[in-house]
Amino acid sequence: MSIGLPSDAKPFKFKGNAREWFGIWIVNLLLSILTIGIYSAWAKVRAKKYFCNNTYVEGRNFDYHATGKQILIGRLIIIAFFVVFQVILTTAPVLGLILAVGLIFAYPWLIVRSMQFNARMTSFSNVRFGFVGTTGQAVLVFLIYPILMALTLYTTFPIWDRAVKRFSIDNHKLGQARFKFDAGLGAFYKALLAALTWILAVGVIGVLVTGFSFSAFYIALDNAESDPGVAIAAVGLIYLMFFAAILPAAFIYQALVRNEVYNTTTLEGGHRFASCVSAPRLLWLAISNMVVVVFTLFLMLPWAQVRMARYLTSHTGLIPGDTLDEFVNQQQAEGSAAGDAYTDLEGIDVGLPV
Amino acid sequence: MGSTLHRTELQGYAYATRSSHRQSARLLARHDDAGLRIEIQGDGKAVIGGAYLSQVTIDPPLGRSPRKLTLPDGTVFETDDHEGIKQLTGRTHGTVLHDIEAFRPRLFGVIALCLAATWVLWRYGLDIMVAVAIAFTPAILVEQIDNGTLKTMDFAMAKPSELSDGDKAEVTQIYRKLLASLPEAEREKHSFDLQFRNMPGVGPNAFALPGGTMVMTDALAETFSDPDVIAGVLGHEIGHVVEEHGLKRLYRSLSLYVLIAFLAGDTGPILEDVILEGNLLLSLSFSRAQETSADRFGLALAKEAGFNPSGLLLFFETLQNAYGGREPTQWMSTHPSSSERLRAIEAFIDTL
């Protein structure tokens, strides 16, 4: 399955190691707990900086420039807003509902602000990234497309997914040089088809091997309330389905799409990218990481993160066109740390996909 | 004069201002009259930039990633010579932190401290945060929560009560008797108010809102004529109000959510779900503990007010017979399982 990077590609390299990152991580955690979360803003900066600083390509590394103070202020604004919103929602439900509808429209705006902030705070080879996406585009990608997708019973999911990636990549810049995304729709549908094929195959094999009968299962479920054993069996079956069918399918889709996205992305100046991650490897890494982390009471989390970073970077490459010496910084709006805090809280990933 | 007692030279790379142009460079440092002056030289001794060390921004050390110096004009010098930089700058901003982070036996102390702190935060810290938040919650806001919830309920699922005035008066009298047994301070702190609603589909039940408003379904008064049962159920609900269970649960889940989101940071794909699910199970156990606590409070209050505390027992026994055998297993539920609860109530009545 492993195809490898093209011969002219310079692989990314993660030079951090688990021991070192563990020390930083555990001190971050301790200080965050002792300050009931306040230090977590500085901890975030240190963590991001560590991963940026240790990611290299062609001997140059990334850097992260936000300050703890910026992050903290952003978080306080979002928490204050969150509390006020909760209060309004419980005390004046009607007003709260109107506000909630308003929030739906604030969501794309916050995402754009967050992407701006993250791009501006990250640099490669002394030149800052930039993000020029507009709220209008974000409304289209994060509100209108999902509605259309639901109306078409999610058969248009690949179209939406491609739109999200195009929005992210086409709007990013390194200095004044623009990124350009040019993946065909076919590859996205092929990835989805591969994932669905996996689910179907596992389902068919599962039914054949175990002699599982849907009707018997439904009858059993109807009586589940009186027999806790059935309920446990049902929960077990759902988990089995999740780990055997759905999770691998998700990784198949993600791996195929990631490769396609990198392989068709260019950066002004004749630079191209390459990616050759494999779904089985990614799945293995994710599951073994999870098991190790849970069984070590999260103490091995830094090790797991370094392991994942190493795999991803070593399977991502830059195919330099001209020289990497000619990027120049550009003045640009900084976005807002509040947007960043919002995406942190909601667990939305807006960072640069390395 | 320009003494050159300690002439330092570091190898590294330099970037021109605002540019990705990268070249090998060396940093030369020498003392002059105004202080320690550094100079960045490219190939062939071409000077790229220079400044006094006091004007230079020195990034704090972080692991073994390259050290970075930024001159006032934006020129950047980067080097992997950690020892050299240490000798040049002495202790800088962030040195202490960097020391503690080093992977040495001492770090085990940090780990132990961290595990202990996590436990303390979970066991006491959350309660303290919640207590502070409750202390800062204005009473008028809590009343508003009651009003808002009641309005939503009336809109969505409740109809006006169909009980006769006589029935209502009877129940209200029991309620007054219970309240009279509360300490003076508690009575003044909450605005206790009993409301009757016809809620088909909810069954015989009563619930309390954080501010002290209590809603009782018609079915409860219709199913149970025994004042001891009514007293037991209302006592339980008064327990929720006095012990501020509603607000505690609200604030607790909010602070846990924020803490996990910001502390755990980027845990990776599957792990995030593991944490959230574990958190959900723990919050269920918290809710069960509240129910048990309210049971005890209600039993003691009912007894104090002159009722037979076994009324609550009768209530749950009747419910169990009517809806018996249809409850989820203990760990999946917000309420203790009936049989377990009955045993606990019996045991507690014995101690009264």
Side-chain angles (χ1 to χ4, degrees), chain B residues 14 28 37 55 76 82 108 116 139 152 216 276 287 345 352:
Chain B
L28 298 169
R37 189 173 169 81
Q55 303 165 315
V76 171
H82 292 261
F108 283 106
T152 317
M216 193 175 127
L276 286 177
S287 164
I345 292 173
L352 281 175

Side-chain angles (χ1 to χ4, degrees), chain B residues 13-31:
Chain B
Y13 291 92
Y15 291 101
T17 314
R18 289 155 43 88
S19 147
S20 69
H21 185 71
R22 183 175 197 257
Q23 53 181 314
S24 24
R26 53 204 182 117
L27 180 151
L28 298 169
R30 65 185 163 81
H31 283 281

Side-chain angles (χ1 to χ4, degrees), chain A residues 15 17 19-20 22-24 26-27 29-33 36 39-40 46 49-50 53 56 59-61 63 65 75 79 82 87 90-91 93 125-127 225-226 228 239 247 290 293 298-299 301 305 324-329 331 344-345, chain B residues 15-16 18-22 59 61-66 68 76 78 97-98 100-101 103 107 110-111 113-114 117-118 121 129 141 144-145 148-149 152 254 257-259 261-263 266-267 269-272 274-275 277 325-327 329:
Chain A
K15 290 191 184 172
N17 69 64
R19 285 162 56 120
E20 195 176 78
F22 178 84
I24 295 165
I26 195 89
V27 172
L29 195 61
L30 180 65
L31 292 176
S32 296
I33 293 170
I36 45 171
Y39 184 80
S40 71
R46 233 170 146 66
K49 212 175 162 77
Y50 183 79
N53 278 175
Y56 287 79
R60 299 156 192 254
N61 66 352
D63 202 356
H65 304 269
R75 288 183 170 184
I79 291 175
F82 197 55
V87 166
T90 41
T91 53
S125 192
N126 197 37
V127 171
E225 279 164 343
S226 54
Y239 272 95
L247 201 63
M290 180 195 72
V293 168
F298 281 75
L299 285 178
L301 182 64
Q305 287 168 330
L324 289 174
D325 277 336
E326 283 179 357
F327 298 112
V328 181
N329 247 342
Q331 292 299 326
D344 266 0
L345 196 65
Chain B
Y15 291 101
R18 289 155 43 88
S19 147
S20 69
H21 185 71
R22 183 175 197 257
D59 275 17
L62 178 64
R64 282 173 307 103
S65 45
K68 198 162 154 183
V76 171
E78 223 179 58
L97 195 61
H98 186 243
I100 303 172
E101 287 167 348
F103 198 87
L107 206 56
V110 176
I111 299 171
L113 216 55
C114 214
T118 310
L121 183 69
M129 279 165 81
L141 182 76
Q144 269 306 117
I145 294 179
T149 317
T152 317
L254 277 181
Y257 179 67
V258 171
L259 272 182
F262 287 152
L263 283 191
D266 186 22
T267 48
I270 316 173
L271 273 173
E272 207 168 290
V274 173
I275 299 182
E277 217 155 295
R326 279 185 34 189
E327 50 184 4
T329 31

Side-chain angles (χ1 to χ4, degrees), chain B residues 240-322:
Chain B
H240 278 316
V241 175
V242 169
E243 295 180 347
E244 291 174 319
H245 287 165
L247 281 182
K248 276 184 190 159
R249 216 166 42 219
L250 176 72
Y251 283 132
R252 198 182 164 89
S253 68
L254 277 181
S255 19
L256 258 182
Y257 179 67
V258 171
L259 272 182
I260 289 179
F262 287 152
L263 283 191
D266 186 22
T267 48
I270 316 173
L271 273 173
E272 207 168 290
D273 299 323
V274 173
I275 299 182
L276 286 177
E277 217 155 295
N279 182 31
L280 186 72
L281 287 180
L282 288 171
S283 77
L284 291 180
S285 111
F286 184 69
S287 164
R288 286 199 301 272
Q290 283 193 340
E291 291 302 322
T292 309
S293 171
D295 278 351
R296 295 180 157 216
F297 186 95
L299 292 169
L301 187 68
K303 171 144 177 136
E304 172 91 21
F307 295 95
N308 185 350
S310 58
L312 191 63
L313 208 56
L314 187 61
F315 173 73
F316 285 120
E317 274 168 358
T318 314
L319 280 196
Q320 199 181 21
N321 289 336

Side-chain angles (χ1 to χ4, degrees), chain A residues 276-331:
Chain A
C276 63
V277 296
S278 98
R281 269 305 284 176
L282 272 183
L283 181 68
W284 159 245
L285 280 173
I287 290 184
S288 53
N289 273 354
M290 180 195 72
V291 171
V292 169
V293 168
V294 168
F295 280 98
T296 56
L297 286 175
F298 281 75
L299 285 178
M300 288 289 269
L301 182 64
W303 169 83
Q305 287 168 330
V306 166
R307 190 166 167 240
M308 188 57 105
R310 279 214 181 115
Y311 177 76
L312 287 179
T313 46
S314 62
H315 289 76
T316 308
L318 169 75
I319 306 167
D322 207 1
T323 161
L324 289 174
D325 277 336
E326 283 179 357
F327 298 112
V328 181
N329 247 342
Q330 193 182 32
Q331 292 299 326

Side-chain angles (χ1 to χ4, degrees), chain A residues 84-85 87-103, chain B residues 144:
Chain A
V84 169
F85 178 64
V87 166
I88 293 177
L89 206 60
T90 41
T91 53
V94 179
L95 189 63
L97 229 58
I98 296 172
L99 209 62
V101 173
L103 263 190
Chain B
Q144 269 306 117

